[in-house]
Amino acid sequence: MSIGKTLQDQIVLVTGASSGIGKGVAVAMAQAGAKVIINYLSDQKGADQAVQSIKENLGSAIAIQADVSSEDQVREMMQAACKEFGTIDILVNNAGIQQDSGFLDMSLAGWQKVIDVNLTGSFLCAREAAREFCRRGVVRDRSRAAAKMLFISSVHDTIPWAGHANYAASKGGLLMLMKSLAQELAPHKVRVNSISPGAVKTNINRDTWESPEAEEKILNLIPYNRVAEPDDIAPVAVWLASDEADYITGATIYVDGGMLLYPGFGTGGEVCR
Ligand code: NAD
């Protein structure tokens, strides 16, 4: 992956960046010249590895531990980030979890946990970051926008998902959170967008791609016929945060190999006649 220095000296905070898509996005943003804050929940080793590899090869990075669903911890994380780098220019709301269950057996705790991390966690980080973005405004030699915010959502902000109602509801909620923020923050020159991945090989869905049988099954849902890697998502995040995308706000880019194209109709949908 070759990435130009389109984010030179911008400061980016990526939540849940000790693994998977978040780690990929953090490293790609560092390749684009950004200084990176790796937020992690409990995987300090993964966070330290990401920081180390950025520092050795690319530039500045630090790790900050915080649970994105805790208002106090998010506030402290933003304060620590601003203390280290002076401000932040880009927030990537990536942290997310699944706790799957058939609906009849879904516990309130299992519902609440997913909403707390995926939706409320994104709200808390977005609000703290937006306060800093609006306080600071545009820094002319850094970016045309005052700041950029990205949500790593999911195709399940659009595709219903039986057995995963809590997850799909959290991602559907992110869609309107993202659009409402895009509308409200545009006059402050803050751009807000989402990337909605399809199936990406990470820890969150290991059981769906680890065995050849499972991968074969998921490929039935992907017209492009391969499961994505974090490197399929990362350059899109860099581009969306860069000035090349300066007129884009309130948009969702589906990076899904065609999952949203009703793959069941790929053979003409004869069964539906
Ligand atoms: P992952 O499990 O590797 O990453 C999720 C990260 O979130 C982990 O590092 C985890 O520690 C962190 N996290 C969880 N709870 C947290 C909390 N309370 N506070 C801070 N961090 C927390 O899996 P991933 O696939 O890289 O997931 C990243 C995002 O991508 C998630 O929002 C997920 O919903 C989304 N997504 C993933 C896929 C996929 O197929 N992998 C598809 C669509 C969307």
Side-chain angles (χ1 to χ4, degrees):
M1 175 173 49
S2 142
I3 287 182
K5 297 281 178 197
T6 54
L7 302 177
Q8 192 63 50
D9 293 332
Q10 297 188 44
I11 294 130
V12 56
L13 190 157
V14 185
T15 66
S18 58
S19 64
I21 294 170
K23 192 175 189 171
V25 168
V27 171
M29 294 226 172
Q31 281 172 337
K35 299 172 183 172
V36 177
I37 299 136
I38 306 270
N39 157 254
Y40 69 100
L41 177 64
S42 54
D43 178 10
Q44 190 174 354
K45 198 168 157 214
D48 286 346
Q49 274 170 359
V51 167
Q52 210 44 41
S53 85
I54 290 171
K55 280 172 127 177
E56 275 166 19
N57 306 307
L58 300 165
S60 305
I62 58 165
I64 301 182
Q65 194 276 332
D67 177 345
V68 296
S69 65
S70 157
E71 186 173 24
D72 288 346
Q73 291 184 35
V74 168
R75 193 173 294 133
E76 284 162 19
M77 170 170 70
M78 290 295 172
Q79 283 166 356
C82 290
K83 194 166 172 215
E84 177 73 23
F85 289 120
T87 188
I88 70 167
D89 302 289
I90 302 164
L91 169 69
V92 183
N93 271 308
N94 165 78
I97 56 168
Q98 280 181 226
Q99 273 191 22
D100 307 332
S101 162
F103 190 63
L104 301 189
D105 296 320
M106 188 173 283
S107 65
L108 176 58
W111 165 268
Q112 196 68 60
K113 180 75 188 165
V114 172
I115 298 295
D116 281 353
V117 175
N118 297 7
L119 187 54
T120 308
S122 295
F123 154 72
L124 289 170
C125 294
R127 191 187 58 179
E128 284 310 308
R131 286 172 175 166
E132 171 62 12
F133 295 162
C134 293
R135 180 199 67 75
R136 191 205 55 236
V138 176
V139 180
R140 288 213 172 274
D141 57 357
R142 227 183 277 162
S143 174
R144 293 179 73 184
K148 285 74 59 133
M149 196 184 289
L150 298 179
F151 293 88
I152 304 299
S153 183
S154 164
V155 286
H156 297 294
D157 62 14
T158 297
I159 303 176
W161 205 11
H164 309 257
N166 48 2
Y167 184 83
S170 73
K171 297 298 186 177
L174 277 186
L175 181 63
M176 287 314 290
L177 176 62
M178 179 278 289
K179 288 190 179 207
S180 301
L181 294 189
Q183 194 184 56
E184 190 165 338
L185 297 178
H188 297 274
K189 291 272 175 281
V190 176
R191 295 193 297 107
V192 185
N193 293 290
S194 288
I195 294 172
S196 287
V200 186
K201 290 187 179 180
T202 68
N203 288 332
I204 209 170
N205 58 355
R206 188 166 283 283
D207 54 330
T208 62
W209 53 264
E210 207 164 26
S211 73
E213 301 76 44
E215 186 162 356
E216 180 81 26
K217 219 164 128 196
I218 188 95
L219 286 177
N220 286 324
L221 298 173
I222 309 172
Y224 204 59
N225 208 36
R226 74 173 172 85
V227 181
E229 302 283 347
D231 276 357
D232 287 300
I233 312 301
V236 182
V238 170
W239 178 76
L240 209 40
S242 78
D243 278 359
E244 290 173 9
D246 186 57
Y247 210 54
I248 300 179
T249 194
T252 299
I253 299 186
Y254 290 91
V255 185
D256 68 348
M259 247 186 174
L260 239 71
L261 299 173
Y262 297 94
F265 284 80
T267 52
E270 278 80 5
V271 287
C272 298
R273 286 202 188 130

